[in-house]
Amino acid sequence: MAATEIARQAGEGARAVPLAGHVGFDSMPDQLVNKSVNHGFCFNILCVGETGLGKSTLMDTLFNTKFEGEPTQHNQPGVQLKSNTYELQESNVRLKLTVVNTVGFGDQINKEDSYKSIVEFIDTQFEAYLQEELKIKRTLHSYHDTRIHACLYFIAPTGHSLKSLDLVTMKKLDSKVNIIPIIAKSDAISKSELTKFKIKITSELVSNGVQIYQFPTDDETVAEINSTMNGHLPFAVVGSTEEVKIGNKMVKARQYPWGTVQVENENHCDFVKLREMLIRVNMEDLREQTHTRHYELYRRCKLEEMGFKDTDPDCKPFSLQETYEAKRNEFMGDLQKKEEEMRQMFVQRVKEKEAELKEAEKELHEKFDRLKKLHQDEKKKLEDKKKSLDDELNGFKQKKTAAELLQSQAQQAGGSTTLKRDKERKNFF
Amino acid sequence: MSSGVRSMVSMMTNLEGYVGFANLPNQVYRKSVKRGFEFTLMVVGESGLGKSTLINSLFLTDLYSKDYPGPSLRIKKTVQVEQSKVLVKEGGVQLTLTIVDTPGFGDAVDNSNCWQPVINYIDSKCEDFLNAESRVNRRLMPDNRVHCCLYFIAPSGHGLKPLDIEFMKRLHDKVNVIPLIAKADTLTPEECQLFKKQIMKEIQEHKIQIYEFPDIEDDEDSKLIRKIKERMPLAVVGSNVVIEVNGKKVRGRQYPWGVAEVENGEHCDFTVLRNMLIRTHMQDLKDVTNNVHYENYRSRKLAAVTCNGGVDTSKTKNQMTRSPLAQMEEERREHVMKMKKMETEMEQVFEMKVKEKKQKLKDSEAELERRHEQMKKNLEAQYKELEEKKRHHEEEKSNWEAQQRILEQQKLDASKTMEKNKKKGKIF
């Protein structure tokens, strides 16, 4: 439902006219109520507190049921959020209750980042709603709202003051969610200590600028009770699902050797006050505050972060469409530029690599040219050698033939000379 | 219907096992009363059909009086759209009522497009709301959207006029249209029945979606509602005049033959209209306007912007289910993936080409090496051959030289002996 503050606006532009009879629009609130009852309600509670402070027990006690889950160990590495949704019904009213528990909060040695997962969780729920709201085809009226409507911050019953972890966490959460601080396991504190404790806590919260949820006092019907209750904050609570017989009734209580702490006894603890304020009187206001204040703040910051603004420099209001168009164009241009850049980069690389390879190729060719040349030289040398050998061979051959010729000549001549001589001799005789 | 503020005391008792969120409806009630309500009602019809009178009768007030004359008393040449805002209080509940009148509708000779100003008005109110809703800084969001449009049909007794059909066809998906038979006191009950049947038949034929008063979860009323649906379209009579009938003061129209009482269920359906419109379904009219008509307007408007006239229906369908911002995020993510893919592809191609080139280079290097080796071997072989030849030659040469030497020696010996012999021979 859009937050329309008509009451303030009613006088603007509308003139009051008297009615001559009963028209019947005074049934409007009933019509509205019927519709919301039919639709069902939803409420989301976040319990923040150290392990062992009785968060789950308190939830069980508040809603008179046993919610599932086992007690967690102390050895969690970080803070996690566990959320469970339950469908409850009371007379004709259906409530979809989501209880979110912080698991491992305050267990780490270094707790600097403890609040981060909580803030993240809350933001995630806001984001989901925002996304749904911004969709083109949306179904807001059937959307299951998971935004945290109330944050119960469990303070350990030390009796002294708030821990620094508490202050840091609450400071981070106060602009995101309605914080209702409560003193857990308050049956460990005596009444006088309690008063001092409460005062100390309240003053510490104020001096640190932590904005806790104030029960609204603008509606006369509940203004009185709300303002009284505001003075009792933080509520000191005790939770118990066990029942003890007191008188002739079974009441929720914790039994000690020295007495019984009755959960619903206003003298013993503020449980009843918490229940009254949280559920019976201000549940709707908590939801409204979440939607109109915390969610709007988140939404505004998110949109501004994305660059949306309501007016352009010329002080003309931008219509949503124009803003979207502009954003989209910018965005597309951005993408295209990125694409171009990458392409260019690749072209560059290719060029470089090509040059590199060409160099290598050139070197290779040069190398082989050198080798070729060497080879040519060798070949030439060989040729020369060959030639010289051939010359020698030829020379030798010539010599040989010449010698042989001479020999054969000589022989012939010798033969003939001997013949001649013989002949001469013969002739002589 | 209860009236007045419910007291909450009864809900605060500490019942065992009672958690208390059953009190939520009371909290809602309380807050809604504090906020106040608003409603915008539009009346459309030709002049003289008693629209202003009906409004006055419905809200038991003189919306249009001497000081604030109604549009009907002013002569219009073209269709105007005028709004009057009044604040009425009843039983602690404040209602800001806006009545939108359309003087001049259907009064011209050529009535083509006389519905356009009406459509423009409705759209502009939706646009205002859309802009207000879309601002970064949202605060007061007045809801000036038209929640209901009463369409007055002239009591011809026959059927719908072409203008009626045209108008309703164009408006039925933009606003809740409730057709009314005006000046029903000119029709007898039988004529009225026939007329109604005819009208409904024609409405169904033309697939016009008029506002169907849905069942509200309240047993006593739902039976009533079902009976009432059979009386659609409602035939109404309005009157500004209070007449005394049988000692009772009633609103009615005085005729020589009697008084047509406005609030008499047997005379006309006025009370039905008032009950349905104001007492039971006012909130539903607003919800339907917000959840259906406005959402249709919004998705049409935004789709035109972000999908740039979405040609590809499958893609636009996907886009419709996301907010434009998420759409851009999605597109950005898709683009990043596309870029990554492109990058890896390019890398792959690049690597492959480089590998190819390198391989080629390697191959040619190997080839050249091989050839070089080959040539070297060749050369070496030749060398060897040459050496062999040389050696052979050397051998031959040394052999021959040796031989020559022997021959020489022989020769020498022979010549020596010859010399000797010659000497001997000579002595004899």
Side-chain angles (χ1 to χ4, degrees):
Chain A
M1 267 180 280
T4 47
E5 304 272 62
I6 318 287
R8 272 186 264 154
Q9 208 220 342
E12 294 165 33
R15 62 179 210 278
V17 290
L19 298 173
H22 182 240
V23 178
F25 59 81
D26 55 350
S27 66
M28 276 295 267
D30 286 310
Q31 292 181 38
L32 187 61
V33 164
N34 281 339
K35 272 194 170 270
S36 37
V37 168
N38 286 337
H39 194 255
F41 296 91
C42 100
F43 195 70
N44 308 319
I45 302 183
L46 169 66
C47 294
V48 180
E50 291 173 14
T51 322
L53 279 182
K55 304 191 286 290
S56 317
T57 314
L58 186 69
M59 285 297 111
D60 288 348
T61 323
L62 261 176
F63 289 98
N64 270 334
T65 29
K66 185 88 180 81
F67 292 128
E68 41 184 274
E70 301 142 9
T72 42
Q73 303 298 314
H74 283 264
N75 54 3
Q76 306 290 326
V79 179
Q80 283 176 318
L81 285 101
K82 277 222 183 86
S83 122
N84 287 310
T85 309
Y86 309 96
E87 303 251 2
L88 308 172
Q89 180 153 0
E90 194 168 55
S91 72
N92 64 335
V93 178
R94 285 173 292 124
L95 178 69
K96 207 174 208 152
L97 178 74
T98 303
V99 179
V100 185
N101 246 315
T102 49
V103 174
F105 186 76
D107 279 338
Q108 298 79 31
I109 295 174
N110 181 357
K111 294 177 264 214
E112 266 182 356
D113 293 338
S114 293
Y115 71 86
K116 284 202 186 139
S117 26
I118 304 176
V119 170
E120 220 175 86
F121 181 84
I122 296 175
D123 279 347
T124 311
Q125 312 317 311
F126 281 148
E127 184 65 33
Y129 189 87
L130 179 63
Q131 287 301 332
E132 181 64 35
E133 205 185 25
L134 290 177
K135 275 193 199 170
I136 295 178
K137 257 201 160 93
R138 60 188 191 179
T139 48
L140 270 180
H141 70 278
S142 58
Y143 177 77
H144 176 219
D145 190 0
T146 54
R147 298 173 295 181
I148 302 296
H149 301 123
C151 170
L152 295 180
Y153 195 91
F154 288 68
I155 300 168
T158 57
H160 301 314
S161 60
L162 285 172
K163 296 191 188 166
S164 43
L165 172 66
D166 295 336
L167 279 170
V168 165
T169 312
M170 279 202 267
K171 195 80 181 83
K172 291 279 179 198
L173 294 178
D174 69 353
S175 58
K176 292 200 173 282
V177 74
N178 300 315
I179 300 182
I180 301 175
I182 56 181
I183 301 170
K185 295 197 165 172
S186 64
D187 51 352
I189 315 179
S190 75
K191 230 184 169 100
S192 50
E193 283 172 353
L194 193 61
T195 332
K196 273 194 278 181
F197 193 27
K198 281 193 183 182
I199 293 173
K200 192 78 194 346
I201 292 175
T202 323
S203 67
E204 277 193 336
L205 289 175
V206 166
S207 59
N208 278 285
V210 175
Q211 303 263 16
I212 58 171
Y213 176 73
Q214 296 292 314
F215 303 118
T217 49
D218 48 358
D219 187 349
E220 320 84 48
T221 18
V222 289
E224 206 184 302
I225 188 170
N226 274 347
S227 61
T228 324
M229 291 299 181
N230 274 331
H232 285 266
L233 282 171
F235 293 131
V237 293
V238 173
S240 171
T241 44
E242 272 144 31
E243 298 200 331
V244 170
K245 196 167 187 147
I246 302 280
N248 53 356
K249 272 205 298 175
M250 293 297 281
V251 292
K252 292 196 275 260
R254 286 176 62 78
Q255 193 144 50
Y256 289 106
W258 49 89
T260 313
V261 181
Q262 293 159 42
V263 168
E264 282 167 327
N265 186 332
E266 292 209 47
N267 286 328
H268 291 194
C269 72
D270 295 330
F271 174 82
V272 172
K273 294 195 179 74
L274 174 67
R275 184 173 61 190
E276 201 70 22
M277 288 292 102
L278 181 66
I279 303 176
R280 295 185 186 176
V281 179
N282 298 305
M283 203 181 230
E284 184 60 24
D285 186 71
L286 283 161
R287 287 174 29 160
E288 204 176 279
Q289 288 291 323
T290 306
H291 181 71
T292 56
R293 212 150 47 92
H294 301 296
Y295 170 70
E296 282 301 311
L297 180 64
Y298 174 84
R299 179 180 176 278
R300 187 161 58 234
C301 293
K302 198 73 201 287
L303 289 183
E304 277 175 359
E305 203 179 280
M306 293 200 156
F308 286 94
K309 44 190 188 336
D310 277 334
T311 53
D312 72 349
D314 297 311
C315 282
K316 264 188 296 176
F318 256 161
S319 80
L320 185 71
Q321 293 85 289
E322 281 176 38
T323 319
Y324 274 150
E325 275 286 349
K327 275 251 124 198
R328 192 192 162 80
N329 287 340
E330 187 190 314
F331 170 74
M332 293 305 259
D334 198 36
L335 292 182
Q336 271 174 353
K337 198 166 80 147
K338 280 209 177 86
E339 224 171 285
E340 247 330 287
E341 270 175 21
M342 191 170 87
R343 237 184 235 123
Q344 282 305 333
M345 198 211 23
F346 261 105
V347 165
Q348 187 65 18
R349 270 178 75 181
V350 165
K351 258 203 204 130
E352 281 176 18
K353 204 60 185 220
E354 262 181 9
E356 218 177 275
L357 287 173
K358 246 201 180 82
E359 264 301 316
E361 205 174 333
K362 199 162 104 172
E363 268 179 33
L364 185 73
H365 280 285
E366 278 179 12
K367 173 171 154 194
F368 276 101
D369 279 344
R370 275 200 306 268
L371 281 177
K372 200 166 166 187
K373 191 155 178 299
L374 269 171
H375 172 84
Q376 300 280 45
D377 290 345
E378 288 287 307
K379 198 166 177 186
K380 191 150 181 304
K381 262 203 266 180
L382 184 70
E383 292 292 308
D384 288 345
K385 265 201 173 151
K386 233 186 185 168
K387 191 158 177 297
S388 73
L389 183 66
D390 276 343
D391 286 344
E392 209 181 301
L393 270 173
N394 279 344
F396 177 65
K397 207 174 182 176
Q398 269 181 10
K399 201 164 147 193
K400 193 167 161 186
T401 23
E404 278 181 359
L405 191 66
L406 217 67
Q407 256 183 23
S408 68
Q409 262 186 3
Q411 258 186 3
Q412 244 183 24
S416 69
T417 29
T418 19
L419 256 166
K420 214 175 161 188
R421 244 186 269 139
D422 280 340
K423 237 184 193 173
E424 277 182 357
R425 253 204 245 139
K426 261 177 194 163
N427 283 348
F428 224 56
F429 300 113
Chain B
M1 283 295 159
S2 66
S3 61
V5 181
R6 283 198 205 153
S7 100
M8 288 192 303
V9 179
S10 58
M11 291 294 193
M12 280 195 197
T13 45
N14 259 350
L15 294 172
E16 193 142 313
Y18 189 68
V19 177
F21 59 82
N23 208 26
L24 261 175
N26 284 335
Q27 298 178 31
V28 171
Y29 188 99
R30 183 175 25 102
K31 280 192 172 285
S32 69
V33 168
K34 186 157 169 292
R35 263 200 307 267
F37 296 87
E38 51 184 358
F39 193 75
T40 303
L41 179 66
M42 180 185 258
V43 283
V44 182
E46 293 169 18
S47 317
L49 283 181
K51 303 191 292 287
S52 315
T53 317
L54 187 74
I55 298 294
N56 283 347
S57 307
L58 265 176
F59 292 98
L60 294 175
T61 183
D62 288 323
L63 210 78
Y64 301 121
S65 61
K66 251 191 300 166
D67 304 319
Y68 299 91
S72 55
L73 298 174
R74 290 167 276 157
I75 303 166
K76 299 283 181 262
K77 290 237 178 69
T78 53
V79 181
Q80 307 284 314
V81 181
E82 291 184 356
Q83 67 175 49
S84 325
K85 237 188 194 153
V86 290
L87 179 64
V88 285
K89 276 195 230 196
E90 190 176 68
V93 176
Q94 252 187 2
L95 174 68
T96 304
L97 183 66
T98 309
I99 304 293
V100 183
D101 214 323
T102 53
F105 181 85
D107 288 340
V109 175
D110 180 3
N111 287 310
S112 325
N113 290 328
C114 69
W115 47 80
Q116 201 55 48
V118 177
I119 292 179
N120 291 345
Y121 180 86
I122 294 173
D123 280 348
S124 83
K125 293 302 166 192
C126 281
E127 175 155 358
D128 289 345
F129 194 83
L130 177 60
N131 284 341
E133 190 191 34
S134 312
R135 283 173 65 87
V136 175
N137 274 306
R138 311 193 285 196
R139 243 159 295 162
L140 295 177
M141 275 209 284
D143 186 5
N144 290 321
R145 298 171 293 186
V146 179
H147 301 119
C148 177
C149 174
L150 298 178
Y151 186 76
F152 286 70
I153 301 168
S156 64
H158 300 151
L160 291 171
K161 292 202 208 127
L163 177 59
D164 299 334
I165 295 170
E166 195 59 38
F167 180 86
M168 286 199 276
K169 266 170 88 167
R170 284 177 186 273
L171 272 279
H172 71 158
D173 58 353
K174 289 186 185 291
V175 73
N176 297 317
V177 175
I178 301 179
L180 301 172
I181 299 174
K183 296 202 163 169
D185 52 348
T186 58
L187 298 166
T188 67
E190 297 81 24
E191 283 170 351
C192 200
Q193 272 298 95
L194 279 170
F195 192 29
K196 284 185 180 182
K197 271 215 176 62
Q198 180 62 24
I199 291 173
M200 286 314 279
K201 183 157 147 264
E202 285 183 37
I203 282 175
Q204 268 158 22
E205 261 169 26
H206 291 273
K207 298 201 176 54
I208 296 169
Q209 287 169 319
I210 57 173
Y211 177 72
E212 315 243 324
F213 294 91
D215 289 333
I216 309 274
E217 301 270 326
D218 201 347
D219 288 308
E220 13 171 304
D221 285 342
S222 55
K223 267 184 280 169
L224 225 68
I225 289 169
R226 249 170 273 134
K227 263 215 286 211
I228 280 148
K229 279 204 193 170
E230 294 163 20
R231 288 168 93 165
M232 298 278 282
L234 302 172
V236 292
V237 174
S239 171
N240 288 330
V241 177
V242 180
I243 303 167
E244 191 151 334
V245 173
N246 295 339
K248 267 204 310 176
K249 286 211 190 253
V250 290
R251 278 189 179 235
R253 293 176 60 74
Q254 177 106 62
Y255 292 107
W257 47 87
V259 174
E261 292 165 46
V262 168
E263 286 177 24
N264 188 329
E266 287 171 26
H267 294 191
C268 69
D269 299 324
F270 176 81
T271 27
V272 175
L273 176 67
R274 186 176 57 197
N275 288 342
M276 302 291 272
L277 182 63
I278 301 173
R279 297 182 185 178
T280 54
H281 287 82
M282 198 178 238
Q283 185 59 41
D284 187 65
L285 283 162
K286 288 173 67 172
D287 286 343
V288 173
T289 308
N290 185 49
N291 299 337
V292 178
H293 297 298
Y294 170 70
E295 287 299 320
N296 282 343
Y297 171 84
R298 183 179 176 278
S299 48
R300 267 199 306 261
K301 200 82 199 282
L302 291 183
V305 169
T306 54
C307 305
N308 295 333
V311 184
D312 183 358
T313 44
S314 64
K315 191 160 184 243
T316 46
K317 222 184 197 164
N318 257 339
Q319 286 179 333
M320 297 287 253
T321 56
R322 272 184 244 116
S323 77
L325 295 178
Q327 178 63 24
M328 286 210 288
E329 267 308 306
E330 179 70 24
E331 278 179 2
R332 191 189 294 269
R333 239 176 291 140
E334 268 176 25
H335 192 264
V336 166
M337 277 186 17
K338 185 171 122 193
M339 292 263 284
K340 255 207 179 82
K341 197 164 123 197
M342 208 164 80
E343 188 172 347
T344 42
E345 269 177 21
M346 282 196 184
E347 276 283 353
Q348 270 179 8
V349 167
F350 185 73
E351 288 300 314
M352 202 176 69
K353 285 251 162 80
V354 164
K355 206 157 106 173
E356 244 178 59
K357 246 314 172 47
K358 277 206 173 134
Q359 188 64 28
K360 239 200 209 156
L361 214 64
K362 220 166 162 183
D363 286 345
S364 73
E365 186 174 355
E367 176 69 24
L368 283 171
E369 281 264 1
R370 197 183 58 78
R371 247 193 277 156
H372 173 74
E373 275 299 314
Q374 186 91 316
M375 287 203 288
K376 206 156 116 178
K377 269 211 175 75
N378 213 350
L379 223 59
E380 273 177 13
Q382 283 186 20
Y383 250 119
K384 239 187 170 152
E385 214 183 285
L386 198 68
E387 289 296 307
E388 184 69 34
K389 211 170 172 184
K390 194 168 187 181
R391 197 181 55 76
H392 187 77
H393 162 75
E394 290 292 312
E395 212 179 286
E396 208 184 307
K397 188 167 167 188
S398 65
N399 273 352
W400 185 78
E401 280 186 351
Q403 216 179 64
Q404 290 297 91
R405 271 200 301 275
I406 292 177
L407 272 173
E408 277 294 322
Q409 194 61 38
Q410 274 182 359
K411 217 165 137 185
L412 218 64
D413 283 342
S415 73
K416 250 197 207 149
T417 355
M418 238 184 84
E419 276 297 318
K420 257 204 285 199
N421 281 349
K422 220 183 188 175
K423 262 184 191 161
K424 261 194 205 163
K426 282 264 163 108
I427 296 179
F428 356 107

